[in-house]
Amino acid sequence: MFTGIIEALGTVQQITRQGGDLQLSIASDTLDFSDVRLGDSVATQGVCLTVIALQERQFVADVSRETLQHTTLPEWTVGQRVNLEKALLPTTRLGGHLVSGHVDAVGVIRDVRRDARSLWVQIESPVTLARYLARKGSVCVDGVSLTINAVEGLLFELNIVPHTADMTTLSSLRQGSRVNLEVDVLARYLERMLNSAASEPESAAGVSMSALLQHGFMRRR
């Protein structure tokens, strides 16, 4: 698990195609790798990658076809910058929101403009993700935990403050850019609960429509 608070920027050093999938080498001069071990996870541009080889300032990870199908990874090039975050520890401050690093889909930047000192960004999400996006809810964009300002149909709006822009790749967003999106994991679990409650009077776990109403997860219409 991650928080969506980027620790450092990295650079794609090498991309090797192997039997239909990829192997990546990612380097960073500013990320502390001293506590990273083989098998650990590092969120890279929002994608949870498993470390299979490690040097002082870089790591190597395999990328499956499943990941290639649902992320911007097929578009990555050698030399491009990526957002990096090591997996959180029990003592880590949860400054963003709970992020799994399992990217749901790719979104498209529809508009970017200055808003005082911040960047105002409008993103179009795939139709499959729109129902998980809510005003003042959380979303992860290229690994960065952000708060949604407004939602209209498939479009949602964000403000990126100067510090976040300076410390991540989000400062380079342009109209037409494609970004990795991960919705709030709590929204997905809640949907699962609602669907189960709607199809069964009382689920095995004791979740019912009346229980969800009672505890404020639903509103009467």
Side-chain angles (χ1 to χ4, degrees):
M1 298 296 291
F2 308 92
T3 67
I5 304 300
I6 301 305
E7 295 182 89
L9 287 173
T11 304
V12 178
Q13 294 292 301
Q14 189 172 5
I15 302 174
T16 306
R17 300 190 180 277
Q18 295 187 342
D21 55 29
L22 297 179
Q23 190 172 92
L24 293 175
S25 177
I26 308 291
S28 176
D29 291 332
T30 55
L31 187 66
D32 180 11
F33 287 106
S34 64
D35 60 346
V36 177
R37 302 291 181 265
L38 296 184
D40 283 356
S41 298
V42 178
T44 307
Q45 208 68 352
V47 183
C48 179
L49 297 179
T50 300
V51 176
I52 64 167
L54 186 65
Q55 297 179 10
E56 184 178 358
R57 290 297 179 185
Q58 67 181 35
F59 70 95
V60 178
D62 286 324
V63 181
S64 69
R65 287 185 177 182
E66 172 72 12
T67 300
L68 292 172
Q69 289 173 1
H70 293 94
T71 70
T72 60
L73 247 158
E75 304 164 19
W76 292 12
T77 57
V78 172
Q80 99 170 48
R81 298 193 309 166
V82 288
N83 297 320
L84 298 177
E85 181 191 356
K86 295 182 291 187
L88 62 83
L89 301 171
T91 55
T92 304
R93 286 188 175 132
L94 190 59
H97 70 284
L98 288 175
V99 175
S100 68
H102 303 156
V103 172
D104 291 296
V106 173
V108 180
I109 305 299
R110 291 305 180 200
D111 197 5
V112 181
R113 62 172 181 258
R114 286 285 173 187
D115 182 13
R117 294 183 303 115
S118 298
L119 283 177
W120 177 89
V121 180
Q122 184 184 67
I123 303 177
E124 181 178 347
S125 73
V127 65
T128 53
L129 297 191
R131 63 181 179 271
Y132 301 113
L133 303 172
R135 181 178 178 272
K136 300 307 176 185
S138 296
V139 67
C140 193
V141 180
D142 279 347
V144 184
S145 173
L146 296 167
T147 300
I148 298 170
N149 291 339
V151 180
E152 184 175 349
L154 301 182
L155 300 175
F156 65 96
E157 300 171 8
L158 309 163
N159 267 85
I160 302 170
V161 298
H163 177 78
T164 301
D166 291 342
M167 300 301 293
T168 71
T169 62
L170 298 185
S171 60
S172 62
L173 292 179
R174 300 290 183 270
Q175 188 174 17
S177 297
R178 287 158 50 85
V179 291
N180 293 321
L181 299 179
E182 181 187 335
V183 298
D184 191 342
V185 65
L186 297 178
R188 286 186 287 179
Y189 280 116
L190 180 57
E191 180 188 47
R192 175 72 173 177
M193 291 170 63
L194 289 169
N195 288 340
S196 297
S199 61
E200 301 178 25
E202 188 78 23
S203 73
V207 177
S208 64
M209 296 294 282
S210 59
L212 292 171
L213 285 167
Q214 179 182 351
H215 293 288
F217 289 104
M218 297 181 61
R219 293 182 178 179
R220 297 185 184 277
R221 294 184 177 180

